[in-house]
Amino acid sequence: MSDGDGGWVRVAGRGELSAGEVIGVEVGGRSIAIYDCDGELFATDNICTHAYACLSDGWLDGEVIECPLHAARFDIRTGKVLDPPATEDLKTYPVRLVGDGIQVRID
Ligand code: FES
């Protein structure tokens, strides 16, 4: 893991994230979830906005992540809450592929 340009940080190798899966990474003191949705990459905060659970331990169904603790659901593209008990949206992050590395831009 190293600092990239303009806030971009490499967080994982592309091979670490399989199709339709989610992984959790630690970067800049934050826990971030990286998703592969039909080959497209998305990134959100990994900690559920309801209580304390890692969304990377949850279930990804297309563009929807379900929290493993109380089953709130979020749209990984926008971070929007789709189903309670969460009421607060997730923060999202720009994500890109450089070579075989997945990078996230941290502000
Ligand atoms: S901690 Fe995620 S829904 Fe409660």
Side-chain angles (χ1 to χ4, degrees):
M1 217 175 278
S2 62
D3 282 333
D5 53 307
W8 288 98
V9 180
R10 186 186 195 277
V11 293
R14 185 65 182 92
E16 294 171 56
L17 183 59
S18 309
E21 295 213 325
V22 51
I23 54 170
V25 298
E26 299 295 323
V27 54
R30 289 179 229 198
S31 184
I32 293 178
I34 312 288
Y35 311 87
D36 175 312
C37 176
D38 287 333
E40 211 177 330
L41 299 173
F42 297 93
T44 70
D45 269 334
N46 192 20
I47 308 304
C48 184
T49 58
H50 175 240
Y52 194 86
C54 287
L55 297 172
S56 55
D57 293 330
W59 298 276
L60 182 62
D61 182 10
E63 64 279 358
V64 177
I65 184 74
E66 180 174 319
C67 177
L69 198 51
H70 311 109
R73 302 196 321 148
F74 302 89
D75 187 320
I76 61 169
R77 300 166 301 182
T78 60
K80 294 261 179 250
V81 179
L82 301 174
D83 285 304
T87 55
E88 226 182 286
D89 297 340
L90 289 169
K91 181 170 170 49
T92 60
Y93 298 88
V95 57
R96 71 182 184 183
L97 195 58
V98 175
D100 69 344
I102 298 173
Q103 298 187 349
V104 170
R105 195 173 73 216
I106 307 298
D107 40 50

